[in-house]
């Protein structure tokens, strides 16, 4: 019975809850088709939160976008193959039926995939407890396109070191480590090539060949045809699906006649040889299975029955907590249960604090799981709201990244060490790298790093102790002196260094004592308004950003002047930390000066500060050389009278006529761009005033001050979630 069901009345993430219930109550795999990649990614993340024990996969398309489909991403080709194979295996007789879900979208669906039966014929299966002939395995791996290396760091590589075989399969995000006892497979586990630490143990692995080079175009079939016959299909908006699918099919099929430069010839051949599925084949494939569709029906999809839900989306609160409180109370009075879904436990504390400050007695159940959109289900009498929608915060999604190329560089370093390069061993000092050598340890051949020391002494370092070795970094153009094995010289040098560090520490303690004696203004602890400002940040704080914010606020609450430097790359969130500090100062009746090196930065900060603070009643203005004399005069007057809370400006801020009524905080952005005379004027401003310096590229002197702890230092290393890496291309002008 091919049941075709039309569903209506779903709202927000209600769809994810219904889907989760269906998955838990049905056998066999599910394929979920959404209108675009972003909605697919959010659905994939929400399902992963609701079904932690299910095998949830994302099927991406193979091409880099936007614009014309132009470059194949190898990792995404592998991810597609892995997902389709898991679905296929779930449908085989004898396999345990698990909750397997695949989420995809039209651009990914239009591309054909290698027939799972063809992949199964070519793959190498390794099972724990079975015998494995190393020579035979080596020949098979080479035959399916694998390369033998010293250490694996990307798909298609393998290494053999005694009884340990590392294989980075094309269909997996982490490499496998197979340990042998004689010829028997003793253990199989995935591991991180960077740390060499195990991830999880496995009983069976399938080594998949290079799908881009190892299969003929005759082995490609439509993605729908690769799924087991019992696959259930969920379609969101069938009308949009067929339109977008047809558009993608036409665009991608036309690639074979586009002229591209020689670098793209291999890509063009790959595109030309692949088969893309026309719309009528997709519809036939869907109609031959059980499907559930929501949204406007296309003429090709005829439901046999329908199900009606009664849901509505979470309303917009625009950070208006009295409105939220009133709404939750209304729901409670109507017999509904209130759930608020939050991304972390800290958010729970935040909600309780805000409700307590507003003296609101609210009945709600906090759930520390992240769902994309809130909803009200009238039939089930439940209210599911999300914290990011209440605070108008951007909700990020996370797709699989696995072991990235950036990390692979660290492992590659070892491969790039040339015989003759100097290295430092933490226990033995400076030696000279001389290559790798197999040595017999207890009857097993083990790969080791060979290092030469003074008097041609040799030290062998096991590859499991690589973390103790690093490439020598010293003064350029001067050769280091090799250490002598067995002597005390290296230990003495380490001891002297530790003594010098202690001496510096003693000086610092004196310096800190002097700073603590200087009197400053102690700001009050955070109140309701500060909590509301921080909660209204549209992104989720990164761990470093949160730590920097706490450090700054703790410094401001102390009775002596703050002098903190915040280092962080562009786009890592330094400005948000400064905005929070500025607001804390304004709440306590103090004025804030923000000094920037360029006119464009003054304008940019003016927009950022106004956007975040104007709704909270904070007055912000800026001065630069483009402001008229009349405007500048008016700003100076407002600053002098205390009518302007935050003033942002270039060198004009250091003007003698700029007299603050009660300056409490000075924020300096990119200090390294100011000259000596500007810094002298700054020092006069800084007496008993809390100072916060932001920089992406600190000059050595500034950094030296921080490392000496003459200044407190906060470093923001973690980029925001979903920050896209910069992709640079060189193109010939046409």
């Amino acid at each position: 019975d091919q049941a075709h069901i039309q569903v209506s009345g779903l709202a927000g993430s209600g769809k994810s809850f219904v889907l989760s219930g269906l998955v838990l109550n049905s056998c066999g795999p599910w394929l979920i088709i959404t209108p675009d990649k972003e909605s697919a990614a959010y659905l994939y993340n929400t399902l992963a939160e609701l079904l932690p024990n299910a095998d949830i996969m994302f099927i991406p398309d193979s091409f880099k976008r936007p614009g014309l489909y132009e470059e194949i991403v190898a990792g995404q080709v592998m991810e597609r193959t892995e997902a389709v194979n898991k679905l296929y295996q779930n449908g085989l007789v004898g396999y345990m039926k698990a909750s397997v879900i695949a989420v995809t979208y039209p651009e990914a669906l239009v591309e054909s995939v290698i027939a799972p039966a063809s992949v199964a014929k070519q793959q190498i299966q390794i099972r724990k407890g079975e015998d494995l002939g190393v020579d035979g395995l080596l020949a098979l791996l080479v035959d399916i396109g694998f390369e033998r290396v010293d250490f694996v760091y990307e798909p298609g590589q393998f290494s053999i070191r005694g009884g340990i075989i590392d294989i980075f399969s094309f269909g997996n995000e982490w490499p496998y480590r197979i340990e042998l006892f004689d010829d028997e497979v003793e253990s199989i586990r995935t591991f991180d090539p960077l740390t060499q630490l195990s991830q999880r143990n496995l009983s069976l692995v399938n080594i998949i060949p290079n799908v881009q080079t190892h299969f003929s175009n005759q082995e490609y079939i439509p993605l729908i045809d690769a799924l087991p016959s019992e696959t259930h299909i969920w379609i969101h908006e069938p009308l949009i699906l067929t339109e977008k699918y047809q558009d993608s099919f036409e665009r991608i099929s036309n690639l074979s006649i586009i002229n591209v430069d020689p670098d793209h010839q291999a890509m063009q051949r790959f595109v030309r040889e692949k088969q893309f599925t026309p719309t009528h084949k997709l519809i036939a494939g869907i109609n031959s299975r059980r499907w559930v569709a929501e949204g406007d029906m296309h003429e090709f999809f005829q439901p046999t029955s329908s199900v009606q839900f009664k849901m509505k989306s979470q309303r917009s609160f625009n950070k208006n907590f009295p409105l939220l409180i009133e709404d939750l109370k209304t729901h409670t009075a109507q017999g509904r249960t209130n759930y608020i879904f939050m991304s972390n436990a800290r958010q729970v504390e935040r909600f309780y604090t805000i409700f307590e400050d507003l003296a609101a007695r609210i009945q709600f159940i906090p759930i520390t799981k992240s769902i994309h959109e809130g909803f009200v289900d009238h039939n089930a009498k439940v209210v599911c709201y999300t914290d990011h929608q209440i605070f108008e915060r951007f909700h990020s999604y996370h797709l699989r990244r696995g072991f990235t190329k950036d990390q692979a560089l660290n492992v590659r370093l070892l491969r790039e060490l040339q015989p003759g390069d100097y290295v430092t061993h933490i226990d033995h000092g400076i030696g000279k790298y001389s290559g790798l050598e197999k040595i017999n340890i207890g009857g097993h051949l083990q790969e080791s790093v060979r290092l030469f020391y003074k008097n041609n002494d040799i030290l062998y370092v096991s590859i499991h102790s690589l973390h103790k070795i690093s490439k020598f970094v010293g003064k350029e153009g001067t050769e280091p002196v090799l250490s002598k094995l067995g002597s005390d010289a290296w230990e003495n040098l380490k001891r002297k260094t530790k003594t010098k560090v202690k001496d510096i520490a003693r000086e610092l303690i004196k310096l800190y004592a002097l700073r603590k004696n200087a009197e400053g203004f102690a700001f009050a602890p955070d109140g309701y308004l500060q909590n509301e400002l921080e909660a209204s940040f549209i992104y989720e704080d990164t761990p470093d950003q949160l730590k920097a914010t706490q450090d700054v606020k703790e410094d401001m609450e102390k009775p002596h002047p703050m002098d903190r430097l915040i280092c962080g790359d562009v786009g890592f969130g330094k400005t948000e930390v400064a905005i929070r500090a500025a607001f804390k100062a304004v709440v306590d009746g103090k004025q804030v000066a923000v000094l920037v090196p360029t006119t464009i930065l003054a304008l940019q900060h003016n927009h950022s500060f106004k956007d975040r603070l104007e709704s909270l009643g904070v007055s912000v203005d800026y001065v630069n050389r483009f402001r008229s004399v009349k405007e500048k005069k008016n700003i100076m007057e407002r600053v002098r009278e205390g009518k302007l809370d935050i003033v942002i400006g270039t060198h004009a801020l250091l003007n003698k006529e700029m007299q603050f009524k009660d300056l409490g905080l000075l924020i300096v952005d990119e200090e390294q761009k100011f000259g000596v005379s500007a810094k002298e004027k700054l020092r006069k401003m800084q007496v008993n005033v809390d100072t916060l310096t932001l920089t992406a590229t600190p000059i050595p002197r500034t950094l030296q001050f921080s490392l000496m702890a003459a200044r407190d230092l906060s470093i923001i290393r973690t980029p925001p979630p979903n920050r896209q890496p910069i992709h640079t291309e060189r193109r010939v002008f046409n």
Side-chain angles (χ1 to χ4, degrees):
D1 174 30
Q2 300 299 342
H4 298 162
I5 303 165
Q6 181 179 6
V7 172
S8 56
L10 292 173
S13 288
K15 171 175 56 183
S16 304
F17 282 80
V18 172
L19 258 166
S20 301
L22 286 170
V23 169
L24 292 171
N25 286 286
S26 66
C27 287
W30 278 82
L31 178 74
I32 300 159
I33 307 166
T34 67
D36 53 64
K37 187 174 182 175
E38 188 177 81
S39 58
Y42 280 122
L43 182 65
Y44 165 77
N45 275 213
T46 303
L47 286 172
E49 289 279 333
L50 297 176
L51 298 168
N53 299 320
D55 200 345
I56 301 169
M57 295 161 299
F58 189 77
I59 303 181
D61 58 320
S62 307
F63 296 89
K64 248 181 195 164
R65 291 177 296 138
L68 189 66
Y69 295 90
E70 56 188 17
E71 189 180 331
I72 293 157
V73 183
Q76 287 171 200
V77 175
M78 304 310 164
E79 204 175 331
R80 287 171 63 79
T81 309
E82 183 192 359
V84 172
N85 264 20
K86 276 190 181 175
L87 288 165
Y88 170 74
Q89 284 167 357
N90 192 253
L92 292 178
V93 177
Y95 269 79
M96 190 178 75
K97 303 296 178 199
S99 302
V100 178
I101 308 163
V103 185
T104 191
Y105 49 98
E107 290 87 347
L109 206 55
V110 73
E111 288 183 58
S112 299
V113 294
I114 299 148
S118 298
V119 176
K121 279 181 204 166
Q122 298 277 357
Q123 70 188 14
I124 300 167
Q125 197 171 82
I126 301 169
R127 197 183 292 270
K128 188 179 172 183
E130 287 184 351
D131 280 0
L132 185 71
V134 177
D135 293 339
L137 177 67
L138 196 150
L140 280 171
L141 286 169
V142 171
D143 191 44
I144 63 169
F146 278 70
E147 176 198 3
R148 187 171 180 175
V149 293
D150 295 324
F151 301 98
V152 301
Y153 56 84
E154 57 191 18
Q157 297 177 333
F158 73 97
S159 71
I160 300 175
R161 298 186 302 278
I164 297 174
I165 303 166
D166 291 345
I167 306 171
F168 210 144
S169 169
F170 280 100
N172 201 51
E173 61 178 317
W174 297 105
Y176 301 122
R177 174 159 290 162
I178 296 141
E179 289 197 30
L180 303 177
F181 182 74
D182 290 332
D183 281 346
E184 187 190 327
V185 177
E186 192 174 38
S187 71
I188 307 170
R189 56 185 189 268
T190 54
F191 72 98
D192 182 342
L194 193 64
T195 61
Q196 298 287 308
L197 294 175
S198 299
Q199 304 279 358
R200 63 193 181 102
N201 290 309
L202 304 162
S203 56
L204 170 80
V205 292
N206 293 308
I207 310 298
I208 296 175
N210 188 342
V211 295
Q212 282 181 275
T213 59
H214 205 70
F215 295 94
S216 68
N217 57 321
Q218 284 81 28
E219 290 173 283
Y220 280 88
I221 62 170
L223 195 152
I224 288 283
D225 293 353
L227 306 177
S229 57
E230 65 268 35
T231 303
H232 301 77
I233 298 172
W234 179 293
I235 311 158
H236 180 63
E237 297 291 356
L239 206 60
I240 296 173
L241 166 68
T242 47
E243 285 171 6
K244 286 194 78 172
Y245 190 92
Q246 183 61 30
D247 179 55
S248 297
F249 175 72
E250 286 167 6
R251 290 179 72 196
I252 214 162
S253 300
N254 289 337
L255 267 182
S256 58
I257 56 167
I258 290 171
N259 291 319
V260 288
D261 62 69
D263 290 346
H264 286 82
Q265 276 179 4
M267 182 275 295
Q268 188 185 12
R269 189 173 64 253
F270 178 72
V271 168
R272 190 167 55 245
E273 288 173 357
K274 279 186 78 173
Q275 300 162 356
F276 298 99
T277 319
T279 314
H280 64 85
K281 271 196 181 181
L282 168 83
I283 292 160
I286 291 173
N287 278 324
S288 66
R289 291 174 169 82
R290 293 186 182 93
W291 55 255
V292 179
E294 52 165 326
D296 296 324
M297 281 288 132
H298 196 281
E299 58 187 290
F300 301 120
F301 299 104
Q302 295 302 321
T304 55
S305 60
S306 63
V307 177
Q308 176 79 35
F309 285 89
K310 201 178 174 188
M311 293 185 186
K312 68 171 186 179
S313 296
Q314 175 177 336
R315 65 185 289 191
S316 174
F317 294 104
N318 195 21
K319 296 170 275 191
N320 184 335
F321 283 95
L323 186 64
L324 172 69
I325 291 161
E326 186 189 321
D327 190 70
L328 293 174
K329 281 181 176 175
T330 304
H331 287 308
T332 305
Q334 290 169 352
R336 298 189 189 110
T337 308
N338 296 320
Y339 295 92
I340 301 181
F341 286 77
M342 312 185 200
S343 47
N344 55 53
R346 193 170 169 272
Q347 283 289 76
V348 180
E349 290 170 31
R350 225 179 231 174
F351 268 97
Y352 279 122
T353 306
I354 290 168
F355 288 148
E356 203 177 297
D357 285 345
L358 292 172
R361 293 184 178 177
I362 297 296
Q363 290 180 341
F364 77 99
I365 300 167
I367 311 273
T368 50
K369 282 183 183 291
S370 180
I371 64 171
H372 184 47
E373 292 171 309
F375 62 96
V376 179
D377 188 338
H378 294 286
N379 291 341
K381 290 195 174 295
V382 293
V383 178
C384 297
Y385 284 171
T386 70
D387 63 329
H388 56 266
Q389 283 178 296
I390 291 167
F391 290 127
E392 287 194 327
R393 177 184 285 125
F394 174 74
H395 187 223
S396 60
Y397 59 78
H398 306 276
L399 295 178
R400 188 175 93 175
R401 288 193 73 201
F403 183 63
T404 62
K405 281 259 170 88
D406 306 346
Q407 294 168 318
L409 287 173
N410 294 331
V411 181
R412 198 178 287 174
L413 256 178
L414 186 71
R415 288 196 75 203
E416 289 175 355
L417 272 177
Q418 298 297 320
D421 285 349
Y422 290 99
V423 295
T424 307
H425 190 292
I426 195 164
D427 298 327
H428 303 287
I430 300 161
K432 199 180 270 190
Y433 176 70
S434 174
L436 296 163
E437 188 177 313
K438 288 187 179 74
I439 55 173
N440 196 316
I441 303 169
H444 282 288
L445 278 177
Q446 291 280 356
E447 195 108 43
S448 299
V449 175
R450 188 175 57 239
L451 302 178
F452 276 108
Y453 281 82
K454 205 170 189 174
N455 304 328
N456 283 336
D457 289 342
I458 299 174
L459 176 73
Y460 290 103
V461 181
S462 162
I463 58 107
H464 298 297
S465 300
L466 286 180
H467 60 280
K468 293 192 169 187
I469 302 173
S470 61
K471 197 167 182 178
F472 174 80
V473 180
K475 197 175 176 184
E476 235 175 283
T478 56
E479 279 201 4
V481 178
L482 291 178
S483 302
K484 189 174 188 303
L485 286 179
S487 83
D488 296 332
W490 179 250
E491 285 303 320
N492 289 338
L493 181 62
K494 287 204 288 186
R495 197 163 45 249
K496 278 181 189 170
T497 308
K498 282 177 186 169
T499 309
K500 281 185 181 173
V501 169
K502 282 178 183 171
D503 290 343
I504 293 168
R506 245 179 247 115
E507 292 298 314
L508 291 179
I509 290 164
K510 284 182 191 170
L511 188 64
Y512 262 105
L514 289 170
R515 282 182 59 195
K516 291 233 189 272
N517 287 336
E519 274 190 35
F521 179 80
F523 289 91
D526 288 356
Y528 158 67
L529 284 170
Q530 187 76 28
N531 272 325
E532 189 174 315
L533 171 81
E534 290 176 21
S536 70
F537 185 42
I538 64 163
Y539 304 102
E540 185 61 45
D541 287 8
T542 65
D544 289 347
Q545 204 177 10
L546 185 62
K547 175 81 170 62
T549 304
Q550 285 168 341
D551 290 344
V552 169
K553 292 195 294 189
E554 279 170 19
D555 285 357
M556 289 175 76
E557 287 167 21
K558 288 173 184 169
H560 53 272
M562 165 176 78
D563 190 3
R564 183 168 286 277
L565 172 69
I566 295 182
C567 286
D569 209 341
V570 176
F572 276 35
K574 300 186 297 292
T575 307
E576 174 62 20
V577 177
I579 288 169
R580 292 174 186 186
F583 186 66
K584 190 174 178 71
V586 172
V587 167
D588 260 19
K590 295 280 183 180
Q591 290 174 299
V592 180
V594 184
L595 185 64
V596 294
T598 60
T599 51
I600 194 81
L601 201 56
L603 199 62
Q604 193 179 321
H605 276 337
N606 181 57
H607 284 313
S608 301
F609 276 72
K610 271 188 175 171
D611 185 47
R612 296 284 283 119
L613 302 175
E614 264 196 337
S615 62
L616 292 162
V618 177
S619 54
V620 182
D621 214 332
Y622 74 103
V623 285
N624 64 20
R625 60 195 171 91
F626 295 126
R627 302 302 298 259
S628 66
V629 175
K630 188 182 176 183
E631 285 173 328
K632 283 182 189 172
K633 198 173 178 185
N634 176 258
I635 289 166
M636 286 176 186
E637 206 169 289
R638 284 161 66 207
V639 168
R640 193 163 45 250
E641 291 170 6
K643 289 177 183 173
L644 186 59
D645 298 318
I646 300 173
V647 62
I648 300 160
T650 50
H651 294 72
L653 272 192
L654 303 172
N655 193 316
K656 278 185 282 187
E657 290 173 36
M658 186 69 80
Q659 299 290 323
F660 289 87
K661 185 183 180 185
D662 190 2
L663 182 65
L665 176 67
L666 171 66
I667 298 167
V668 185
D669 200 0
E670 301 295 347
E671 184 197 39
Q672 73 278 6
K673 291 181 181 172
F674 291 99
V676 178
S677 59
K679 284 181 181 171
E680 283 305 315
K681 288 176 186 172
L682 262 177
R683 271 190 204 97
K684 287 171 189 168
M685 278 178 84
Q686 279 174 305
V687 179
N688 294 348
V689 170
D690 285 13
T691 307
L692 182 64
T693 308
L694 316 173
T695 183
T697 50
I699 51 171
R701 186 178 149 278
T702 303
L703 196 57
Q704 169 74 2
F705 260 101
S706 303
L707 295 175
M708 280 174 56
R711 274 181 161 171
D712 295 312
L713 176 68
S714 291
I715 300 175
I716 302 181
R717 287 188 189 86
T718 41
N722 282 24
R723 185 177 192 260
Q724 297 300 312
I726 293 160
H727 174 69
T728 310
E729 290 184 11
R730 188 189 61 152
R731 291 296 177 97
V732 177
F733 179 73
N734 186 326

